[in-house]
Amino acid sequence: MSGESKTVIPEKREWDAASYDKKHSFVWKYGTEVVELLAARKGERILDLGCGTGHLTHQIALSGAEVIGLDRSSEMIEQARKAYPQITFVLGDGYDFRFDEPFEAVFSNAALHWMTRPGAVADCISRALKPGGRLVAEFGGKGNLHRLHAAVKTAMSSLGYPVGEELDLWYFPRISEYATLLEKRRLEVTYAVLFDRPTALEGGDNGLREWLETFTSNFLARLTGDERPQFFKQVEAELRPVLFRDGTWFADYRRIRVVAVRD
Ligand code: BEZ
């Protein structure tokens, strides 16, 4: 057990963009359905909020729309600029962004659950949209990673770490909760769905460990070198009977998909 405080876990800000792209490409590949829902049109001005390494920003740009990608990770932005130099990517904060020109649409895939002050994010989205402009987003909904998160908490607890709110690092709302939040900000919800999407992880037997290393690195950083193998072993042992099938780990993802229109 580490001697320093076990209670303060910072929000995840920095990412290993190369490993994110190499080992977890399913994140943006699943997002192509959300791009279809966006149905971008030539000439539309669109913001990709939490654009990561820019693959979906690029897909949107293929429609002829004028897309800007925004992310708060400098590593992600750097990688996106290298891969798609013709697209504008800006380093920015989902809680506090502002553009001079409004957008026809704000798009977001697998990013909003990282922003645990959703009201501040929705304020920015509402301000960024033209009247009649749309938000099209998908992220983790109520019940997302339910088993995985519980196993992580159990393992952290058995290593002596507190597992209260300090390990609730994500925002996974119900439809009613998120719709209310948007409607308070002049965003009328026209479509919303919550659905299970068990997701195969890359990496075979190492898939869960690699997922944990990437997506829970902010609190894994608290574990000592001795604690880490014990942590992985315990999480894998608890989840193997329910999330491992035919040589592949599955994350128990549950998505909320939303379209809302600015009045
Ligand atoms: C997701 O639902 O995509 C997700 C949520 C939290 C951590 C990692 C991934």
Side-chain angles (χ1 to χ4, degrees):
M1 191 191 288
S2 126
E4 63 181 304
S5 161
K6 296 194 163 202
T7 54
V8 184
I9 295 178
E11 266 192 35
K12 187 164 171 57
R13 285 189 164 259
E14 276 312 327
W15 292 82
D16 175 347
S19 124
Y20 173 86
D21 246 9
K22 203 163 124 223
K23 298 181 177 169
H24 311 289
S25 62
F26 65 85
V27 175
W28 70 264
K29 287 181 178 156
Y30 270 111
T32 56
E33 278 182 29
V34 194
V35 172
E36 281 165 24
L37 186 63
L38 172 69
R41 290 183 291 274
K42 190 168 184 313
E44 281 191 319
R45 194 174 138 78
I46 297 179
L47 177 68
D48 181 359
L49 176 56
C51 63
T53 47
H55 299 301
L56 295 177
T57 327
H58 169 65
Q59 279 191 12
I60 296 166
L62 293 177
S63 65
E66 186 197 316
V67 199
I68 296 179
L70 179 144
D71 205 284
R72 71 174 170 181
S73 158
S74 51
E75 275 223 28
M76 293 287 199
I77 289 292
E78 205 178 303
Q79 179 131 331
R81 284 178 181 155
K82 264 192 220 146
Y84 305 109
Q86 70 283 14
I87 297 178
T88 303
F89 291 99
V90 297
L91 189 61
D93 190 334
Y95 300 131
D96 184 22
F97 64 86
R98 197 181 274 271
F99 288 85
D100 291 339
E101 293 283 314
F103 292 90
E104 264 90 21
V106 173
F107 168 90
S108 187
N109 177 61
L112 295 178
H113 48 244
W114 292 103
M115 304 176 202
T116 53
R117 288 188 282 123
V121 179
D123 284 338
C124 294
I125 293 172
S126 180
R127 187 175 56 212
L129 285 170
K130 287 183 178 166
R134 62 204 188 278
L135 165 68
V136 178
E138 182 180 301
F139 59 107
K142 186 77 185 167
N144 194 41
L145 300 174
H146 179 68
R147 287 176 189 276
L148 216 154
H149 199 191
V152 163
K153 283 188 168 184
T154 305
M156 293 294 276
S157 168
S158 64
L159 289 166
Y161 289 83
V163 292
E165 282 179 8
E166 55 280 332
L167 281 191
D168 292 333
L169 303 173
W170 305 299
Y171 174 62
F172 299 144
R174 297 175 195 282
I175 288 179
S176 57
E177 177 188 342
Y178 197 56
T180 303
L181 183 138
L182 293 178
E183 282 164 4
K184 281 189 181 150
R185 290 163 177 86
R186 309 181 63 176
L187 291 160
E188 184 181 53
V189 175
T190 55
Y191 173 82
V193 59
L194 181 68
F195 58 99
D196 289 317
R197 200 196 62 209
T199 299
L201 303 180
E202 291 154 51
D205 204 34
N206 283 330
L208 181 59
R209 194 170 291 225
E210 288 174 359
W211 186 94
L212 290 165
E213 275 169 349
T214 299
F215 293 107
T216 64
S217 58
N218 46 340
F219 58 85
L220 286 186
R222 298 264 141 168
L223 303 181
T224 63
D226 288 348
E227 289 172 334
R228 286 169 77 97
Q230 210 180 317
F231 170 83
F232 289 131
K233 214 168 141 196
Q234 188 172 339
V235 174
E236 284 175 344
E238 186 169 336
L239 294 177
R240 195 172 288 275
V242 283
L243 297 182
F244 189 71
R245 284 191 298 283
D246 302 326
T248 300
W249 283 99
F250 288 80
D252 52 344
Y253 282 155
R254 199 153 199 248
R255 312 321 269 171
I256 181 168
R257 197 177 274 180
V258 175
V259 178
V261 177
R262 173 73 161 76
D263 70 18

